[in-house]
Amino acid sequence: MENIKNIDTLKDILIDASIRPTYQRIKILDYLNQNHTHPTVDEIYISLCPYLPTLSKTTVYNTLNSFVKANIVSEIQIENTEIRYDLKSEPHGHFKCKECGKIFDFALGTKPLKSDDLTGFVIDTKNVYFSGTCPECQDK
Ligand SMILES: [Zn+2]
Ligand SMILES: [Zn+2]
């Protein structure tokens, strides 16, 4: 899950998705590539601002939206107030620590998640979300 792609690979991902690989778009994708922290639009904007002085929050937002539509990035909504972004990798679940707010990825195993109750339904997204207290916060 943690494999970091190089800039050329990121460029190819954009080209394959018919997205013009502008410098800003590559930087935004690279941020998600290097930070598996499930950042929000604000976090990405604040981190990239020093390197991309012409960047606006709207651009970050629109760029992420186009990545989501192109299936390069997935949107995770854990609390209804915040949308976080995750570079697509194998399906995985998210655990949010209610103490420190950190989000941890966990593997879901190889068996596809499905339920006979949904026969005939078209499923677009699947989210596995757990919450609780991480080991570090339990020690406090
Ligand atoms: Zn914690
Ligand atoms: Zn994740």
Side-chain angles (χ1 to χ4, degrees), residues 44-60:
I44 299 172
Y45 172 70
I46 290 163
S47 310
L48 291 179
C49 244
Y51 312 101
L52 302 167
T54 59
L55 191 69
S56 71
K57 211 187 271 188
T58 313
T59 306
V60 177

Side-chain angles (χ1 to χ4, degrees), residues 14 44 59 121 130:
L14 291 178
I44 299 172
T59 306
F121 288 71
F130 293 178

Side-chain angles (χ1 to χ4, degrees), residues 12-139:
D12 287 342
I13 291 173
L14 291 178
I15 293 167
D16 285 348
S18 311
I19 296 172
R20 201 158 55 87
T22 62
Y23 186 65
Q24 288 195 343
R25 286 173 185 154
I26 293 170
K27 287 306 256 187
I28 293 170
L29 191 60
D30 191 40
Y31 184 83
L32 290 170
N33 177 38
Q34 305 215 32
N35 299 275
H36 289 234
T37 52
H38 312 88
T40 60
V41 169
D42 279 0
E43 284 165 9
I44 299 172
Y45 172 70
I46 290 163
S47 310
L48 291 179
C49 244
Y51 312 101
L52 302 167
T54 59
L55 191 69
S56 71
K57 211 187 271 188
T58 313
T59 306
V60 177
Y61 182 77
N62 291 338
T63 303
L64 288 166
N65 263 348
S66 67
F67 290 172
V68 170
K69 272 201 200 109
N71 229 14
I72 302 171
V73 164
S74 47
E75 213 174 61
I76 18 173
Q77 198 161 1
I78 286 178
E79 270 121 25
N80 29 22
T81 48
E82 54 172 22
I83 297 174
R84 298 176 163 275
Y85 296 89
D86 205 359
L87 194 64
K88 277 244 161 154
S89 51
E90 300 103 71
H92 58 269
H94 292 111
F95 177 99
K96 180 162 184 174
C97 174
K98 59 180 197 260
E99 301 297 327
C100 62
K102 260 190 223 155
I103 295 167
F104 301 85
D105 285 335
F106 60 89
L108 289 175
T110 49
K111 248 173 66 192
L113 271 179
K114 58 177 188 178
S115 168
D116 291 340
D117 294 340
L118 292 176
T119 304
F121 288 71
V122 175
I123 299 162
D124 293 330
T125 52
K126 293 180 180 179
N127 288 305
V128 178
Y129 169 46
F130 293 178
S131 70
T133 313
C134 77
E136 217 176 288
C137 291
Q138 288 172 45
D139 286 343

